[in-house]
Amino acid sequence: IQMSQSPSSLSASVGDRVTITCRASQRISNYLNWYQQKPGKAPNLLIYAASTLQRGVPPRFSGSGSGTDFTLTISSLLPEDSATYYCQQSYNTPRTFGQGTKVEIK
Amino acid sequence: QVQLQQWGAGLLGPSETLSLTCGVYGESLSGYSWTWIRQPPGKGLEWIGEISWRGNTNFNPSLKSRVTMSVDTSKQQFSLELSSLTAADTALYYCARRGNIMIVEDMPRDYYYMDVWGTGTTVTVSS
């Protein structure tokens, strides 16, 4: 299963609402995870099952979608949200990732 | 709180074999599956494969012919070997726990995700 994300990068201001899109090459129901990776750090799980927030993740992060199209939304961008975000399908193996979306703060 | 600590050789020559080990601390290795993921410099994440605590494996077909994974429950460790290295294998290699949860909606479904990660080991393949 191929995963594609858009945009590949974006620049937004603190307080902006940010949306990242992930598309699967075939239907994957809601078997979709989102990760945040900051420079020099391992990825951190944000959301699993397309919309369930991992413990400890701030509620400004949310996920939605089912089938082939998914979104990650940051409701009000903070400086610490500057990172690269990856989607990953867990429908089957290999558990493929999207190419990543780099979020920068203006 | 579970932590993963990984180690292994960082500089290898072409055609050599990469060997990495990940130690699990703070919680039992048993009952989970364990994953290896890599990230070439400046690029995205690639799932290498996973091994259950019982030793059952799933590998990425693109690497399957060169990958070996093992688990040692007595030592609380799991390992990755990747043979016939080339420069394309140069990457930051991560170990991670494959967490899972069953959610009952219209029917019971198992969801898998990587919820605990090691800090990564840089592997460079160069002559």
Side-chain angles (χ1 to χ4, degrees), chain A residues 5-84:
Chain A
Q5 291 180 231
S6 62
S8 56
S9 66
L10 65 90
S11 181
S13 300
V14 172
D16 282 354
R17 182 182 183 88
V18 169
T19 299
I20 298 168
T21 297
C22 177
R23 175 164 288 175
S25 61
Q26 68 181 70
R27 295 183 66 83
I28 59 169
S29 184
N30 62 339
Y31 291 91
L32 194 282
N33 305 322
W34 288 99
Y35 300 87
Q36 176 194 63
Q37 185 179 34
K38 296 184 178 181
K41 299 291 188 181
N44 181 51
L45 176 67
L46 296 176
I47 287 169
Y48 60 90
S51 61
T52 303
L53 218 58
Q54 171 70 340
R55 279 193 312 272
V57 174
R60 65 180 180 275
F61 291 94
S62 64
S64 65
S66 185
T68 60
D69 294 323
F70 303 87
T71 59
L72 172 69
T73 299
I74 308 172
S75 60
S76 182
L77 193 67
L78 294 180
E80 58 261 39
D81 299 333
S82 178
T84 300

Side-chain angles (χ1 to χ4, degrees), chain A residues 29-31 33 35 37 41-45 48-49 52 54 86 88 90 93-99, chain B residues 37 39 43-47 50 58 60-61 94 98 101 103 105 109-115 117-118:
Chain A
S29 184
N30 62 339
Y31 291 91
N33 305 322
Y35 300 87
Q37 185 179 34
K41 299 291 188 181
N44 181 51
L45 176 67
Y48 60 90
T52 303
Q54 171 70 340
Y86 294 93
Q88 180 208 24
S90 60
T93 58
R95 306 193 193 282
T96 42
F97 291 89
Q99 81 278 16
Chain B
I37 293 156
Q39 185 170 35
K43 296 189 177 181
L45 301 166
E46 180 181 27
W47 184 86
E50 62 190 25
N58 274 303
N60 191 322
Y94 291 105
R98 193 197 79 177
I101 187 168
I103 299 175
E105 298 166 337
R109 299 174 188 231
D110 277 313
Y111 292 88
Y112 302 123
Y113 42 79
M114 271 72 85
D115 61 346
W117 293 68

Side-chain angles (χ1 to χ4, degrees), chain B residues 19-22 36 51 68-71 77-81:
Chain B
S19 181
L20 299 176
T21 299
C22 188
W36 291 95
I51 184 167
T68 303
M69 291 185 186
S70 60
V71 62
Q77 294 173 359
F78 60 103
S79 298
L80 166 71
E81 289 190 345

Side-chain angles (χ1 to χ4, degrees), chain B:
Chain B
Q1 181 178 354
V2 60
Q3 292 185 332
L4 305 183
Q5 183 176 341
Q6 51 185 111
W7 61 90
L11 179 61
L12 295 163
S15 78
E16 291 186 335
T17 297
L18 171 161
S19 181
L20 299 176
T21 299
C22 188
V24 180
Y25 303 92
E27 194 171 308
S28 176
L29 176 151
S30 299
Y32 288 97
S33 288
W34 303 90
T35 304
W36 291 95
I37 293 156
R38 69 181 183 178
Q39 185 170 35
K43 296 189 177 181
L45 301 166
E46 180 181 27
W47 184 86
I48 299 171
E50 62 190 25
I51 184 167
S52 75
W53 66 282
R54 295 180 187 272
N56 300 314
T57 55
N58 274 303
F59 299 142
N60 191 322
S62 67
L63 299 169
K64 187 173 183 178
S65 64
R66 300 193 289 131
V67 171
T68 303
M69 291 185 186
S70 60
V71 62
D72 187 331
T73 54
S74 66
K75 292 184 177 180
Q76 287 275 102
Q77 294 173 359
F78 60 103
S79 298
L80 166 71
E81 289 190 345
L82 182 65
S83 64
S84 303
L85 293 174
T86 70
D89 296 309
T90 294
L92 182 57
Y93 286 74
Y94 291 105
C95 59
R97 185 177 76 175
R98 193 197 79 177
N100 71 279
I101 187 168
M102 178 180 287
I103 299 175
V104 179
E105 298 166 337
D106 51 339
M107 56 184 287
R109 299 174 188 231
D110 277 313
Y111 292 88
Y112 302 123
Y113 42 79
M114 271 72 85
D115 61 346
V116 181
W117 293 68
T119 55
T121 299
T122 297
V123 175
T124 302
V125 181
S126 175
S127 56

